[in-house]
mmCIF file with all atom_site columns, all heavy atoms in Angstrom:
data_model
loop_
_atom_site.group_PDB
_atom_site.id
_atom_site.type_symbol
_atom_site.label_atom_id
_atom_site.label_alt_id
_atom_site.label_comp_id
_atom_site.label_asym_id
_atom_site.label_entity_id
_atom_site.label_seq_id
_atom_site.pdbx_PDB_ins_code
_atom_site.Cartn_x
_atom_site.Cartn_y
_atom_site.Cartn_z
_atom_site.occupancy
_atom_site.B_iso_or_equiv
_atom_site.pdbx_formal_charge
_atom_site.auth_seq_id
_atom_site.auth_comp_id
_atom_site.auth_asym_id
_atom_site.auth_atom_id
_atom_site.pdbx_PDB_model_num
ATOM 1  N N   . SER A 1 81  ? -1.625  14.746 7.335  1.00 94.00 ? 81  SER A N   1
ATOM 2  C CA  . SER A 1 81  ? -1.517  14.720 8.805  1.00 94.00 ? 81  SER A CA  1
ATOM 3  C C   . SER A 1 81  ? -2.851  14.320 9.355  1.00 94.00 ? 81  SER A C   1
ATOM 4  O O   . SER A 1 81  ? -3.933  14.363 8.683  1.00 94.00 ? 81  SER A O   1
ATOM 5  C CB  . SER A 1 81  ? -1.128  16.094 9.306  1.00 94.00 ? 81  SER A CB  1
ATOM 6  O OG  . SER A 1 81  ? -2.140  17.055 9.145  1.00 94.00 ? 81  SER A OG  1
ATOM 7  N N   . GLY A 1 82  ? -2.861  13.846 10.589 1.00 94.00 ? 82  GLY A N   1
ATOM 8  C CA  . GLY A 1 82  ? -4.124  13.381 11.214 1.00 94.00 ? 82  GLY A CA  1
ATOM 9  C C   . GLY A 1 82  ? -4.667  12.174 10.497 1.00 94.00 ? 82  GLY A C   1
ATOM 10 O O   . GLY A 1 82  ? -3.973  11.174 10.261 1.00 94.00 ? 82  GLY A O   1
ATOM 11 N N   . ASP A 1 83  ? -5.928  12.242 10.092 1.00 96.00 ? 83  ASP A N   1
ATOM 12 C CA  . ASP A 1 83  ? -6.570  11.216 9.320  1.00 96.00 ? 83  ASP A CA  1
ATOM 13 C C   . ASP A 1 83  ? -6.816  11.705 7.910  1.00 96.00 ? 83  ASP A C   1
ATOM 14 O O   . ASP A 1 83  ? -7.343  12.798 7.683  1.00 96.00 ? 83  ASP A O   1
ATOM 15 C CB  . ASP A 1 83  ? -7.891  10.813 9.963  1.00 96.00 ? 83  ASP A CB  1
ATOM 16 C CG  . ASP A 1 83  ? -8.598  9.687  9.266  1.00 96.00 ? 83  ASP A CG  1
ATOM 17 O OD1 . ASP A 1 83  ? -9.300  9.959  8.286  1.00 96.00 ? 83  ASP A OD1 1
ATOM 18 O OD2 . ASP A 1 83  ? -8.419  8.536  9.693  1.00 96.00 ? 83  ASP A OD2 1
ATOM 19 N N   . ALA A 1 84  ? -6.561  10.880 6.924  1.00 96.00 ? 84  ALA A N   1
ATOM 20 C CA  . ALA A 1 84  ? -6.647  11.293 5.518  1.00 96.00 ? 84  ALA A CA  1
ATOM 21 C C   . ALA A 1 84  ? -8.105  11.571 5.124  1.00 96.00 ? 84  ALA A C   1
ATOM 22 O O   . ALA A 1 84  ? -8.350  12.326 4.158  1.00 96.00 ? 84  ALA A O   1
ATOM 23 C CB  . ALA A 1 84  ? -6.092  10.254 4.608  1.00 96.00 ? 84  ALA A CB  1
ATOM 24 N N   . GLY A 1 85  ? -9.037  11.056 5.861  1.00 96.00 ? 85  GLY A N   1
ATOM 25 C CA  . GLY A 1 85  ? -10.422 11.301 5.536  1.00 96.00 ? 85  GLY A CA  1
ATOM 26 C C   . GLY A 1 85  ? -11.094 12.443 6.319  1.00 96.00 ? 85  GLY A C   1
ATOM 27 O O   . GLY A 1 85  ? -12.249 12.717 6.126  1.00 96.00 ? 85  GLY A O   1
ATOM 28 N N   . VAL A 1 86  ? -10.303 13.110 7.181  1.00 95.00 ? 86  VAL A N   1
ATOM 29 C CA  . VAL A 1 86  ? -10.824 14.227 7.973  1.00 95.00 ? 86  VAL A CA  1
ATOM 30 C C   . VAL A 1 86  ? -10.088 15.500 7.473  1.00 95.00 ? 86  VAL A C   1
ATOM 31 O O   . VAL A 1 86  ? -8.931  15.746 7.928  1.00 95.00 ? 86  VAL A O   1
ATOM 32 C CB  . VAL A 1 86  ? -10.571 14.009 9.485  1.00 95.00 ? 86  VAL A CB  1
ATOM 33 C CG1 . VAL A 1 86  ? -11.152 15.214 10.269 1.00 95.00 ? 86  VAL A CG1 1
ATOM 34 C CG2 . VAL A 1 86  ? -11.296 12.703 9.905  1.00 95.00 ? 86  VAL A CG2 1
ATOM 35 N N   . TYR A 1 87  ? -10.701 16.227 6.659  1.00 93.00 ? 87  TYR A N   1
ATOM 36 C CA  . TYR A 1 87  ? -10.068 17.423 6.039  1.00 93.00 ? 87  TYR A CA  1
ATOM 37 C C   . TYR A 1 87  ? -8.755  17.065 5.412  1.00 93.00 ? 87  TYR A C   1
ATOM 38 O O   . TYR A 1 87  ? -7.824  17.935 5.308  1.00 93.00 ? 87  TYR A O   1
ATOM 39 C CB  . TYR A 1 87  ? -9.836  18.571 7.081  1.00 93.00 ? 87  TYR A CB  1
ATOM 40 C CG  . TYR A 1 87  ? -11.079 18.938 7.816  1.00 93.00 ? 87  TYR A CG  1
ATOM 41 C CD1 . TYR A 1 87  ? -11.179 18.762 9.201  1.00 93.00 ? 87  TYR A CD1 1
ATOM 42 C CD2 . TYR A 1 87  ? -12.108 19.558 7.177  1.00 93.00 ? 87  TYR A CD2 1
ATOM 43 C CE1 . TYR A 1 87  ? -12.288 19.163 9.882  1.00 93.00 ? 87  TYR A CE1 1
ATOM 44 C CE2 . TYR A 1 87  ? -13.279 19.945 7.824  1.00 93.00 ? 87  TYR A CE2 1
ATOM 45 C CZ  . TYR A 1 87  ? -13.361 19.747 9.260  1.00 93.00 ? 87  TYR A CZ  1
ATOM 46 O OH  . TYR A 1 87  ? -14.453 20.145 9.918  1.00 93.00 ? 87  TYR A OH  1
ATOM 47 N N   . GLY A 1 88  ? -8.625  15.834 4.920  1.00 93.00 ? 88  GLY A N   1
ATOM 48 C CA  . GLY A 1 88  ? -7.363  15.354 4.356  1.00 93.00 ? 88  GLY A CA  1
ATOM 49 C C   . GLY A 1 88  ? -7.523  15.062 2.904  1.00 93.00 ? 88  GLY A C   1
ATOM 50 O O   . GLY A 1 88  ? -8.429  15.526 2.148  1.00 93.00 ? 88  GLY A O   1
ATOM 51 N N   . MET A 1 89  ? -6.602  14.235 2.405  1.00 95.00 ? 89  MET A N   1
ATOM 52 C CA  . MET A 1 89  ? -6.485  14.007 0.934  1.00 95.00 ? 89  MET A CA  1
ATOM 53 C C   . MET A 1 89  ? -7.351  12.861 0.401  1.00 95.00 ? 89  MET A C   1
ATOM 54 O O   . MET A 1 89  ? -7.405  12.696 -0.797 1.00 95.00 ? 89  MET A O   1
ATOM 55 C CB  . MET A 1 89  ? -4.996  13.654 0.616  1.00 95.00 ? 89  MET A CB  1
ATOM 56 C CG  . MET A 1 89  ? -4.078  14.919 0.654  1.00 95.00 ? 89  MET A CG  1
ATOM 57 S SD  . MET A 1 89  ? -4.561  16.161 -0.530 1.00 95.00 ? 89  MET A SD  1
ATOM 58 C CE  . MET A 1 89  ? -4.615  15.249 -2.099 1.00 95.00 ? 89  MET A CE  1
ATOM 59 N N   . ALA A 1 90  ? -8.093  12.150 1.265  1.00 96.00 ? 90  ALA A N   1
ATOM 60 C CA  . ALA A 1 90  ? -8.944  11.116 0.777  1.00 96.00 ? 90  ALA A CA  1
ATOM 61 C C   . ALA A 1 90  ? -9.972  11.588 -0.186 1.00 96.00 ? 90  ALA A C   1
ATOM 62 O O   . ALA A 1 90  ? -10.193 11.063 -1.301 1.00 96.00 ? 90  ALA A O   1
ATOM 63 C CB  . ALA A 1 90  ? -9.477  10.279 1.914  1.00 96.00 ? 90  ALA A CB  1
ATOM 64 N N   . SER A 1 117 ? -6.789  11.889 14.207 1.00 94.00 ? 117 SER A N   1
ATOM 65 C CA  . SER A 1 117 ? -7.017  13.218 13.727 1.00 94.00 ? 117 SER A CA  1
ATOM 66 C C   . SER A 1 117 ? -6.593  14.263 14.802 1.00 94.00 ? 117 SER A C   1
ATOM 67 O O   . SER A 1 117 ? -6.360  13.894 15.935 1.00 94.00 ? 117 SER A O   1
ATOM 68 C CB  . SER A 1 117 ? -8.519  13.448 13.413 1.00 94.00 ? 117 SER A CB  1
ATOM 69 O OG  . SER A 1 117 ? -8.781  14.746 12.966 1.00 94.00 ? 117 SER A OG  1
ATOM 70 N N   . ILE A 1 119 ? -8.375  16.384 16.195 1.00 95.00 ? 119 ILE A N   1
ATOM 71 C CA  . ILE A 1 119 ? -9.309  16.496 17.297 1.00 95.00 ? 119 ILE A CA  1
ATOM 72 C C   . ILE A 1 119 ? -9.019  15.452 18.384 1.00 95.00 ? 119 ILE A C   1
ATOM 73 O O   . ILE A 1 119 ? -9.203  15.752 19.589 1.00 95.00 ? 119 ILE A O   1
ATOM 74 C CB  . ILE A 1 119 ? -10.737 16.311 16.733 1.00 95.00 ? 119 ILE A CB  1
ATOM 75 C CG1 . ILE A 1 119 ? -11.797 16.713 17.805 1.00 95.00 ? 119 ILE A CG1 1
ATOM 76 C CG2 . ILE A 1 119 ? -10.983 14.923 16.240 1.00 95.00 ? 119 ILE A CG2 1
ATOM 77 C CD1 . ILE A 1 119 ? -13.213 16.678 17.258 1.00 95.00 ? 119 ILE A CD1 1
ATOM 78 N N   . SER A 1 136 ? -16.892 18.698 14.386 1.00 97.00 ? 136 SER A N   1
ATOM 79 C CA  . SER A 1 136 ? -15.805 19.603 13.996 1.00 97.00 ? 136 SER A CA  1
ATOM 80 C C   . SER A 1 136 ? -16.292 20.457 12.853 1.00 97.00 ? 136 SER A C   1
ATOM 81 O O   . SER A 1 136 ? -17.057 19.996 12.013 1.00 97.00 ? 136 SER A O   1
ATOM 82 C CB  . SER A 1 136 ? -14.548 18.802 13.558 1.00 97.00 ? 136 SER A CB  1
ATOM 83 O OG  . SER A 1 136 ? -14.827 17.954 12.479 1.00 97.00 ? 136 SER A OG  1
ATOM 84 N N   . TYR A 1 166 ? -11.366 23.682 13.209 1.00 96.00 ? 166 TYR A N   1
ATOM 85 C CA  . TYR A 1 166 ? -10.138 23.439 12.461 1.00 96.00 ? 166 TYR A CA  1
ATOM 86 C C   . TYR A 1 166 ? -9.883  24.763 11.589 1.00 96.00 ? 166 TYR A C   1
ATOM 87 O O   . TYR A 1 166 ? -10.806 25.528 11.389 1.00 96.00 ? 166 TYR A O   1
ATOM 88 C CB  . TYR A 1 166 ? -10.329 22.321 11.461 1.00 96.00 ? 166 TYR A CB  1
ATOM 89 C CG  . TYR A 1 166 ? -10.168 20.921 12.057 1.00 96.00 ? 166 TYR A CG  1
ATOM 90 C CD1 . TYR A 1 166 ? -11.037 20.401 12.939 1.00 96.00 ? 166 TYR A CD1 1
ATOM 91 C CD2 . TYR A 1 166 ? -9.106  20.120 11.616 1.00 96.00 ? 166 TYR A CD2 1
ATOM 92 C CE1 . TYR A 1 166 ? -10.917 19.123 13.478 1.00 96.00 ? 166 TYR A CE1 1
ATOM 93 C CE2 . TYR A 1 166 ? -8.943  18.850 12.136 1.00 96.00 ? 166 TYR A CE2 1
ATOM 94 C CZ  . TYR A 1 166 ? -9.840  18.305 13.069 1.00 96.00 ? 166 TYR A CZ  1
ATOM 95 O OH  . TYR A 1 166 ? -9.679  17.071 13.537 1.00 96.00 ? 166 TYR A OH  1
#
Side-chain angles (χ1 to χ4, degrees):
S81 68
D83 182 277
V86 180
Y87 305 117
M89 284 301 303
S117 179
I119 192 173
S136 62
Y166 280 67

